[in-house]
Amino acid sequence: MSDTIKLPLYFKLSAILICLTLLFITFFFGQEIISPVLLSLLFAIMLRPVVGFLIKKLRFPHFVAVIFAIVLFVLLFLGVFYFISMQISEMANDWGKIKNNFYYHFEHLQRMIRDNFNLSKREQNEIITNATNDTMTSGKEIVGTTLSSFADILLNLILIPIYTFLFLLYQNHFITFLCKLVKPESHKKLREVLFQIKIAVQSYITGLLFEMITVSVLTTLGLYFIGCEYFILLGIITGILNLIPYIGILFAGGLTIAVSLSGSTDLTIVFGVIGVNLIVQFIDNNILVPMFVNSKVQINALVSIIGIIVGNVLGGITGMFLAIPIIAIIKVIFDRIDTLEPWGYLLGDDLPKTYEWHKIKFPHYNFHNKSTIVDLGIDLSPTIPAEDSSKEDGNSTNDTIEK
């Protein structure tokens, strides 16, 4: 007799909702602790091949290999930060020209509002003054919040390399801990889950880095050809913000337009910036993302968008960046557990990306997976037992009506 207790569906759903609620509350109130740890875990998974190469090929001791990998990672980050700061300093040297261009566009906007909404410049200035006064009343709180956020960022920049170093140093210790949590007969499945998580995270982050570099280069070249100033800085910022799926590019486009207008009095440059962003996004969404990102992490778009929104609520920008890798890890775990496999399928995306028509590939939306297709045309009405007229041994028998 089996000792397994079968619980009703409503009880299972209630337990899942309670667990999800507690999990979200924990993430929301503990984001300052959890976010750096999760980022460090992703970076540690990404740097494991580097550590492995140093140990196997160059014969480095494990401790030295981990330190060397962390130093390379920090130097790469500092190099990117230094290059961006140099570009910003060049932009700051043109502050006088930027201010004049800003006033030019501001006066043009005021004239347009006056002609279309019958608001004089004096009335517009009064509205702006009142809004400025209301803003100044909460200025101290804004400054305090900004300084606190800046301090948190600096603290995380120090903690993340330390956490990453410790994850890499104690990786075998953590794997042994996981092995002790499960039964020996489940160790094979555990190794498979850990291996798939490593492959998914490494492939996803590598694809994101390649996508970031390509988008930065394409945007920089496009802004250069349309004559936009600070094209290198704007191209790099666009590539970095593009790491946040679906939403980052919107912020990058708005920032590029604002900076472009501050560097030139020509309004037609806005159309050029919009055209460059549309072309780059077309290349990114139809070539780069399917080839280097979606091919590594099979998560459908609906789950991705919901995950990014939830990540923003729980952890801000860091949560938005962590959303996709965390969902990918959850999907890998769900796919390897029999009772959770349907939820893993729900998170996934088995649609073929394109179909070919006259040697031209288009998105394929009307696909049905033959292995999992459900025929909804079947008559699902319950079968009705019918009494048989024949009786054997004095006992009546019932035959089920066959379809």
Side-chain angles (χ1 to χ4, degrees):
M1 181 177 179
S2 177
D3 296 332
T4 303
I5 301 176
K6 294 184 178 181
L7 300 175
L9 180 61
Y10 66 86
F11 185 88
K12 294 180 180 179
L13 291 178
S14 301
I16 292 173
L17 290 176
I18 293 173
C19 292
L20 287 176
T21 302
L22 294 176
L23 187 63
F24 288 156
I25 292 175
T26 303
F27 269 90
F28 183 78
F29 289 101
Q31 58 178 295
E32 295 181 358
I33 299 174
I34 298 175
S35 295
V37 173
L38 293 178
L39 272 177
S40 303
L41 179 61
L42 293 182
F43 292 145
I45 296 175
M46 183 181 65
L47 291 175
R48 282 193 76 242
V50 179
V51 176
F53 174 81
L54 295 175
I55 294 175
K56 295 178 181 179
K57 301 297 182 180
L58 301 182
R59 304 295 181 181
F60 280 22
H62 180 70
F63 182 80
V64 177
V66 172
I67 292 180
F68 197 79
I70 295 297
V71 170
L72 287 178
F73 173 73
V74 172
L75 289 178
L76 178 63
F77 176 81
L78 291 178
V80 174
F81 179 78
Y82 175 77
F83 184 79
I84 293 177
S85 63
M86 291 296 294
Q87 295 295 318
I88 294 177
S89 64
E90 291 183 5
M91 181 178 174
N93 294 331
D94 298 332
W95 175 247
K97 184 181 69 173
I98 292 174
K99 185 168 62 174
N100 292 333
N101 292 332
F102 174 78
Y103 285 134
Y104 173 83
H105 292 299
F106 182 72
E107 291 179 359
H108 181 79
L109 179 62
Q110 281 191 320
R111 288 196 298 268
M112 184 178 66
I113 294 175
R114 182 194 61 192
D115 296 337
N116 292 277
F117 299 98
N118 296 323
L119 281 176
S120 64
K121 287 187 177 181
R122 182 178 59 82
E123 293 173 334
Q124 295 178 41
N125 291 330
E126 288 179 358
I127 295 174
I128 294 173
T129 302
N130 293 331
T132 304
N133 292 333
D134 293 337
T135 304
M136 291 299 293
T137 57
S138 58
K140 293 182 179 180
E141 297 180 2
I142 295 175
V143 172
T145 304
T146 303
L147 292 177
S148 177
S149 300
F150 185 72
D152 292 339
I153 292 174
L154 289 179
L155 180 62
N156 290 336
L157 290 178
I158 297 173
L159 289 177
I160 288 176
I162 296 176
Y163 289 155
T164 305
F165 169 78
L166 294 176
F167 275 125
L168 290 171
L169 185 63
Y170 290 106
Q171 57 180 336
N172 293 330
H173 182 78
F174 294 133
I175 293 175
T176 304
F177 164 73
L178 294 176
C179 290
K180 289 180 177 293
L181 289 179
V182 300
K183 297 178 181 180
E185 54 267 23
S186 301
H187 285 177
K188 181 178 180 181
K189 181 172 289 189
L190 175 62
R191 288 195 298 268
E192 181 184 356
V193 169
L194 294 177
F195 177 77
Q196 292 298 328
I197 289 175
K198 181 192 72 171
I199 295 299
V201 173
Q202 288 178 353
S203 301
Y204 177 73
I205 295 180
T206 303
L208 275 186
L209 292 177
F210 184 84
E211 180 194 10
M212 179 189 70
I213 295 173
T214 306
V215 169
S216 298
V217 172
L218 293 176
T219 306
T220 300
L221 293 175
L223 296 178
Y224 170 77
F225 284 122
I226 66 173
C228 178
E229 294 193 41
Y230 322 116
F231 56 91
I232 297 179
L233 175 63
L234 295 175
I236 295 174
I237 292 177
T238 301
I240 294 175
L241 291 178
N242 196 57
L243 292 176
I244 303 174
Y246 306 107
I247 300 175
I249 192 61
L250 299 178
F251 292 103
L255 179 63
T256 303
I257 291 174
V259 175
S260 301
L261 289 177
S262 65
S264 174
T265 58
D266 188 6
L267 288 175
T268 58
I269 198 172
V270 175
F271 299 101
V273 171
I274 295 175
V276 169
N277 281 314
L278 289 177
I279 294 173
V280 172
Q281 280 308 296
F282 179 82
I283 297 174
D284 181 38
N285 294 330
N286 293 276
I287 299 177
L288 300 179
V289 171
M291 186 179 299
F292 299 104
V293 180
N294 286 349
S295 61
K296 312 300 182 183
V297 180
Q298 297 293 335
I299 300 174
N300 66 70
L302 177 62
V303 173
S304 300
I305 295 174
I306 295 176
I308 291 169
I309 295 174
V310 173
N312 180 43
V313 173
L314 297 178
I317 296 178
T318 304
M320 295 170 70
F321 175 77
L322 289 171
I324 303 300
I326 290 177
I327 294 174
I329 293 174
I330 293 174
K331 183 182 183 301
V332 169
I333 297 174
F334 283 3
D335 286 342
R336 269 73 186 176
I337 299 177
D338 295 337
T339 55
L340 298 177
E341 193 274 334
W343 298 97
Y345 176 81
L346 178 65
L347 299 177
D349 182 11
D350 60 358
L351 295 179
K353 305 306 176 186
T354 58
Y355 71 96
E356 189 169 334
W357 179 75
H358 291 284
K359 299 182 179 180
I360 302 175
K361 291 185 176 181
F362 295 94
H364 194 24
Y365 296 113
N366 57 345
F367 169 74
H368 296 284
N369 190 349
K370 294 181 180 180
S371 62
T372 58
I373 187 170
V374 178
D375 187 1
L376 298 180
I378 297 177
D379 184 9
L380 298 179
S381 59
T383 58
I384 303 174
E387 293 185 358
D388 191 358
S389 58
S390 62
K391 296 182 179 180
E392 296 180 0
D393 300 330
N395 297 324
S396 63
T397 60
N398 295 330
D399 294 332
T400 303
I401 297 177
E402 297 180 357
K403 291 187 179 179

